[in-house]
Amino acid sequence: MAALFDQSFDPSADKPQFPGASAEFIDHLEFIQPNVISGIPIYRVMDRQGQIINPSEDPQLPKETVLNFYEKMTLLNTMDRILYESQRQGRISFYMTNYGEEGTHIGSAAALDPKDLVFGQYREAGVLMYRGFPLDLFMAQCYANADDLHKGRQMPVHYGSKDLNFVSISSPLATQLPQAAGAAYALKRENSNRIVICYFGEGAASEGDAHAGFNFSATLECPLIFFCRNNGYAISTPTHEQYRGDGIAARGPGYGLMSIRVDGNDVFAVYNATKEARRRAVAENQPFLIEAMTYRIGHHSTSDDSSAYRSVDEVSYWDKQDHPISRLRHYMTAKGWWGEDEERAWRKQSRKLVMESFEKAEKRLKPNPNLLFTDVYKEMTPNLNKQKEAMWRHLQQYKEHYPLDLYEK
Amino acid sequence: MAAAARLFWRSSGVKSSFSGLSGALQSSLRVTPLELSPDCTTKPKTQIRHAAHFTYHPDPVPTQYGPTQKMNFFQAITSALDNTLASDPTAVIFGEDVAFGGVFRCTVGLRDKYGKDRVFNTPLCEQGIVGFGIGVAAAGATAIAEIQFADYIYPAFDQIVNEAAKFRYRSGNMFDCGKLIIRSPWGCVGHGALYHSQSPEAFFAHCPGIKIVVPRGPVQAKGLLLSCIADQNPCIFFEPKILYRAAVEQVPSEAYHVPLSQAEVLQEGSDLTMIAWGTQVHVMREVASMAQEKLGVSCEVIDLQTILPWDKDTVCKSVVKTGRLLISHEAPVTGGFAAEISSTVQEECFLSLEAPITRVCGYDTPFPHIFEPFCIPDKWKCFEAVKRMINF
């Protein structure tokens, strides 16, 4: 990349002098053809039976680390099942599962430093899970109860944690990409050896903000990992209606981004790619793009029935034959680190943990309605203060028409 | 988006900056930048532009903040940015073409003084600039973003309205981008037509979570910009570009603050209250003199300064005293911020009002090139409104 800008202006040489690109002349007409039939290869460390394919790529993680990966992926899966059902029963208003993408979350989160700043989209709960976000706080956010760090203001699954360096999720897609570039720039100036990781789906990558984020991060040399979860669908839209190039990874080089495509159902491949991208992002102050190929096994959200636009067979293939959790379990079983007994015990225990948090969250009151007015600005403005007082006068007069008893006093 | 504009303004901006330098600060304060261009004088009879629609009233020399220097508007901005970069090592300035000094010269010399990593060009992409700025601020640093013309802020509308404004609220105050400031040239300039003339403040006034500030001259500009930078909320700072060179006065060299959300009563009066912001304040001051001279009407002139959150108390207090309110802005009348002021004052001061609140604003058209003299709410339109209100 540096070479492009180092070349000096030399009017005597019979070679192109255009400032906009560094290239040779060519004397015949030839359009560059996109390489979409045989695209950027998909990096894999273990096969579908959990066998390491190339020993030199084996990260050789210790048993406790691998067990932790597995426990976090399955705990997320258990929480997903329970919260999905609770939405079906009308107990929370909305939910989005992470089925099939657990490996992308855990593998990448494990390769980061806990101080690295995370910007996400909404299907990255496993990153928080890996960093130790308590089940109680996941539940508090979904129930928007008085324990919710976000004070009940956002829809369910819009998590965030200052302590865990996970920036609060917002619904508008791809807005976090240029923001991540800005945050990475600020971290670079701090000399803190921290980087930023920014997750997004392949659909969000079509937004203008994705273009902005890629380009800004390259020109401003930001220590940043763009992590794309390419799961084949943006709600109902399949990827062939999303783009016609070779996925997202192929766009990286166009921006001057170091890019790689990995098997998103292979937690070790995700881990290795993220680890190396992090190492180089810190050392070289440059952005990296990782496209993790995966499959969205669940519905887009609880407001979506995906059988309206894709076949049950297709979903079943990924669920039964190429799932990040079962693949890691094969690996652990082969190592003799995991068996039926451990599986049964952990299933039971994880379910219990989730149910306990779930019941606690459901019983909790909602936050005080005053919190409707705070944090709009850092300070309470006179205008908002008046509106707050007006609301309370109104509630005083019409209290029987409002669910005041569900809220903290 | 701003590519065509860049070409247009870069050439003219540089040209006028040269003439600005050679002629020092222009003796006539009424001329607009492009009138200085030699190209404009080749056919004097047909090419002479319409006289500026306002007379700049310099602020009194501020004495409380130490030594002052003669500065025009853009120099006062540079001075504020200079003070900020000197005192806050996290502060960075970025946008399109800010590195060489900016198309309006607001960042001249700052890159040499503070380094390439603190004053830098971005790719040409407004949504990227604001998104990037939000990220810088979220990581705890001071982010001063420039949007080259307020007319080109709309590609960043989503980042401003959905992201910057809601960052603190939605995260329960865990994260914020309070250290973000977006500066942008604003308002009519004599010949800017549709995309170098706009006053988009009302679009943003409907958005809780941001602050919007428009100064009327160099002294206010520096003090208000430094307040925006110090403020812990994302701010949009609109700079009336017609004043960049035209407004000259004594400005303190050191940092000082003019409070946000505080209107300023520039001239006390008893018969009618006039509210405006930016360049229009100077139009109002002239109308107030005309009203006094020709009609014997005593006008109270108020510079609102902060559009959001705005200073209702000062405005309502004035209207309770005078009983009449005239609001004027360059932006189109329908959905303009005058509507908000008018409606609020009507609610708060109903018993004091002796005439309908009157809005003299831009027409509900795009901002035209050759028809600018007819479309702006100039002193004659405002004067006529005063006459009608007094005779109501």
Side-chain angles (χ1 to χ4, degrees):
Chain A
M1 210 163 77
L4 180 69
F5 301 102
D6 287 348
Q7 71 167 10
S8 53
F9 175 70
D10 178 7
S12 65
D14 183 28
K15 54 179 203 180
Q17 297 294 333
F18 306 107
S22 169
E24 294 301 315
F25 286 120
I26 179 175
D27 64 5
H28 56 279
L29 178 70
E30 187 185 329
F31 289 98
I32 303 295
Q33 193 156 328
N35 199 0
V36 293
I37 307 295
S38 173
I40 295 173
I42 301 164
Y43 171 65
R44 205 157 80 147
V45 172
M46 62 179 161
D47 65 16
R48 287 173 197 146
Q49 282 70 48
Q51 306 280 335
I52 299 290
I53 300 159
N54 174 355
S56 67
E57 295 292 321
D58 184 350
Q60 298 190 331
L61 297 171
K63 181 181 171 186
E64 306 74 57
T65 307
V66 175
L67 289 187
N68 183 40
F69 282 13
Y70 187 76
E71 287 184 359
K72 291 288 159 59
M73 284 158 74
T74 46
L75 185 61
L76 174 62
N77 189 266
T78 304
M79 182 177 85
D80 273 351
R81 285 173 202 283
I82 288 167
L83 285 176
Y84 182 83
E85 282 311 315
S86 84
Q87 194 284 332
R88 300 280 94 168
Q89 296 162 12
R91 299 161 94 152
I92 60 173
S93 62
F94 178 78
Y95 195 68
M96 300 175 105
T97 62
N98 301 278
Y99 302 147
E101 300 183 45
E102 297 90 343
T104 62
H105 305 179
I106 302 301
S108 57
L112 298 171
D113 186 284
K115 290 202 291 295
D116 291 338
L117 192 58
V118 181
F119 284 80
Q121 179 164 311
Y122 48 62
R123 214 183 296 283
E124 296 90 10
V127 177
L128 270 173
M129 188 72 87
Y130 187 83
R131 288 193 170 190
F133 198 59
L135 285 171
D136 285 354
L137 288 181
F138 280 113
M139 303 288 174
Q141 201 283 329
C142 290
Y143 271 99
N145 68 27
D147 296 327
D148 175 18
L149 300 173
H150 297 81
K151 305 180 187 174
R153 290 167 184 155
Q154 290 226 69
M155 280 175 78
V157 312
H158 289 55
Y159 308 118
S161 165
K162 182 83 178 169
D163 293 343
L164 300 177
N165 297 301
F166 190 105
V167 179
S168 292
I169 299 293
S170 75
S171 308
L173 289 180
T175 49
Q176 76 276 20
L177 274 82
Q179 293 172 9
Y185 189 87
L187 296 187
K188 175 176 77 168
R189 287 202 67 242
E190 280 179 10
N191 272 324
S192 53
N193 286 329
R194 293 168 70 198
I195 66 147
V196 173
I197 189 164
C198 178
Y199 296 90
F200 55 99
E202 90 285 349
S206 295
E207 293 282 1
D209 275 333
H211 164 65
F214 295 153
N215 199 26
F216 276 55
S217 67
T219 61
L220 298 168
E221 297 166 1
C222 304
L224 166 61
I225 299 173
F226 287 113
F227 192 107
C228 179
R229 297 175 291 97
N230 188 335
N231 63 18
Y233 290 90
I235 305 186
S236 73
T237 305
T239 52
H240 69 269
E241 291 170 12
Q242 199 63 250
Y243 53 73
R244 285 298 163 97
D246 175 25
I248 310 305
R251 295 178 196 170
Y255 290 99
L257 298 180
M258 298 289 290
S259 306
I260 194 170
R261 175 175 280 157
V262 303
D263 182 341
N265 298 342
D266 176 347
V267 71
F268 296 144
V270 174
Y271 174 84
N272 281 355
T274 311
K275 187 98 182 156
E276 178 64 2
R278 189 196 184 275
R279 186 187 70 74
R280 292 190 59 184
V282 170
E284 302 163 20
N285 280 326
Q286 67 161 321
F288 286 76
L289 171 62
I290 298 173
E291 182 184 28
M293 307 309 291
T294 180
Y295 187 85
R296 194 195 78 211
I297 292 173
H299 301 301
H300 164 70
S301 73
T302 48
S303 308
D304 170 51
D305 172 10
S306 65
S307 68
Y309 51 81
R310 61 181 188 180
S311 75
V312 178
D313 288 351
E314 182 186 309
V315 178
S316 157
Y317 164 79
W318 293 98
D319 194 23
K320 302 283 180 301
Q321 294 181 48
D322 194 359
H323 198 288
I325 291 179
S326 54
R327 209 192 288 194
L328 186 61
R329 194 173 152 197
H330 286 314
Y331 173 86
M332 290 157 56
T333 309
K335 287 259 184 195
W337 294 348
W338 198 257
E340 280 303 323
D341 293 345
E342 285 89 348
E343 178 71 15
R344 216 172 298 119
W346 170 241
R347 289 272 155 171
K348 201 173 157 194
Q349 194 197 339
S350 61
R351 201 181 147 75
K352 185 166 163 267
L353 289 170
V354 173
M355 285 310 296
E356 277 171 10
S357 284
F358 176 81
E359 280 161 18
K360 209 187 314 173
E362 196 162 44
K363 284 190 201 116
R364 195 84 170 82
L365 288 172
K366 307 292 180 205
N368 186 302
N370 276 328
L371 295 179
L372 153 62
F373 294 98
T374 56
D375 305 327
V376 177
Y377 294 94
K378 171 135 194 190
E379 68 282 0
M380 173 66 72
T381 64
N383 178 50
L384 278 173
N385 205 36
K386 269 188 203 161
Q387 293 181 9
K388 185 177 80 179
E389 285 164 8
M391 181 190 79
W392 282 116
R393 279 196 303 278
H394 175 81
L395 290 179
Q396 211 50 43
Q397 202 179 341
Y398 291 91
K399 48 177 157 315
E400 67 275 22
H401 303 294
Y402 293 88
L404 275 169
D405 50 334
L406 302 179
Y407 292 77
E408 281 200 331
K409 297 267 172 319
Chain B
M1 173 76 52
R6 257 155 57 105
L7 287 175
F8 168 56
W9 281 95
R10 221 175 188 173
S11 52
S12 57
V14 170
K15 220 175 272 169
S16 52
S17 87
F18 288 154
S19 41
L21 286 173
S22 59
L25 303 164
Q26 300 123 29
S27 50
S28 163
L29 300 179
R30 295 187 183 194
V31 284
T32 56
L34 286 191
E35 284 177 291
L36 293 169
S37 164
D39 300 351
C40 299
T41 57
T42 46
K43 285 184 192 168
K45 279 215 164 134
T46 50
Q47 293 291 312
I48 279 179
R49 291 187 191 279
H50 191 70
H53 70 283
F54 65 98
T55 304
Y56 184 72
H57 298 261
D59 261 24
V61 180
T63 50
Q64 66 272 48
Y65 308 116
T68 61
Q69 247 178 305
K70 197 169 183 184
M71 292 183 205
N72 65 23
F73 195 108
F74 80 65
Q75 290 162 332
I77 298 297
T78 315
S79 174
L81 298 174
D82 189 1
N83 295 148
T84 302
L85 291 173
S87 64
D88 176 357
T90 72
V92 290
I93 297 173
F94 51 90
E96 295 159 13
D97 306 298
V98 301
F100 87 112
V103 297
F104 287 110
R105 321 310 290 148
C106 292
T107 51
V108 168
L110 297 176
R111 183 183 177 92
D112 289 341
K113 193 167 172 185
Y114 296 101
K116 289 194 287 193
D117 67 321
R118 301 191 67 191
V119 181
F120 51 92
N121 290 337
T122 64
L124 209 164
C125 178
E126 287 75 13
Q127 64 198 91
I129 292 170
V130 174
F132 183 88
I134 292 170
V136 170
T142 299
I144 306 172
E146 177 178 306
I147 298 294
Q148 203 160 66
F149 286 82
D151 311 61
Y152 305 126
I153 204 168
Y154 308 115
F157 201 74
D158 184 43
Q159 285 285 355
I160 295 171
V161 172
N162 274 330
E163 295 291 319
K166 299 173 175 47
F167 220 87
R168 188 190 296 278
Y169 186 78
R170 73 174 184 223
S171 70
N173 202 28
M174 275 193 294
F175 297 93
D176 69 82
C177 59
K179 292 186 164 193
L180 170 69
I181 302 94
I182 303 166
R183 297 174 39 241
S184 189
W186 169 98
C188 77
V189 69
H191 48 271
L194 287 83
Y195 308 112
H196 301 83
S197 306
Q198 293 183 43
S199 304
E201 64 273 18
F203 285 115
F204 296 102
H206 196 54
C207 177
I210 51 173
K211 297 193 175 181
I212 310 164
V213 176
V214 190
R216 69 169 182 276
V219 170
Q220 297 306 106
K222 181 171 173 180
L224 285 167
L225 179 54
L226 286 168
S227 292
C228 284
I229 292 167
D231 195 85
Q232 288 303 302
N233 299 286
C235 296
I236 303 179
F237 189 79
F238 286 127
E239 300 167 3
K241 61 177 112 44
I242 201 169
L243 299 178
Y244 273 139
R245 289 157 195 286
V248 185
E249 60 200 20
Q250 289 291 327
V251 180
S253 316
E254 292 306 312
Y256 61 96
H257 294 93
V258 173
L260 304 183
S261 293
Q262 212 165 296
E264 186 180 350
V265 180
L266 297 178
Q267 179 183 318
E268 295 204 3
S270 52
D271 300 327
L272 184 146
T273 300
M274 292 176 157
I275 294 173
W277 48 93
T279 322
Q280 198 63 13
V281 169
H282 305 293
V283 175
M284 288 304 222
R285 290 180 116 168
E286 206 171 337
V287 175
S289 314
M290 290 160 70
Q292 186 68 59
E293 227 168 86
K294 298 185 203 296
L295 310 170
V297 170
S298 159
C299 295
E300 181 145 307
V301 181
I302 297 179
D303 178 1
L304 190 65
Q305 296 190 136
T306 303
I307 309 301
L308 190 73
W310 66 287
D311 181 1
K312 288 178 189 173
D313 290 352
T314 299
V315 173
C316 290
K317 202 172 135 202
S318 173
V319 177
V320 166
K321 177 174 74 173
T322 62
R324 293 177 183 85
L325 176 62
L326 170 65
I327 314 159
S328 181
H329 57 60
E330 287 176 15
V333 64
T334 301
F337 196 66
E340 179 60 35
I341 299 174
S342 167
S343 162
T344 302
V345 169
Q346 185 270 140
E347 259 178 53
E348 302 283 327
C349 315
F350 188 71
L351 295 175
S352 307
L353 287 168
E354 291 169 25
I357 298 171
T358 304
R359 295 178 285 164
V360 180
C361 303
Y363 299 123
D364 291 332
T365 65
F367 201 100
H369 185 216
I370 209 66
F371 307 122
E372 178 167 327
F374 309 109
C375 93
I376 53 172
D378 66 6
K379 62 185 175 188
W380 299 108
K381 290 178 186 167
C382 293
F383 177 72
E384 173 60 16
V386 171
K387 237 164 55 176
R388 283 172 188 239
M389 289 169 75
I390 293 297
N391 295 328
F392 182 81

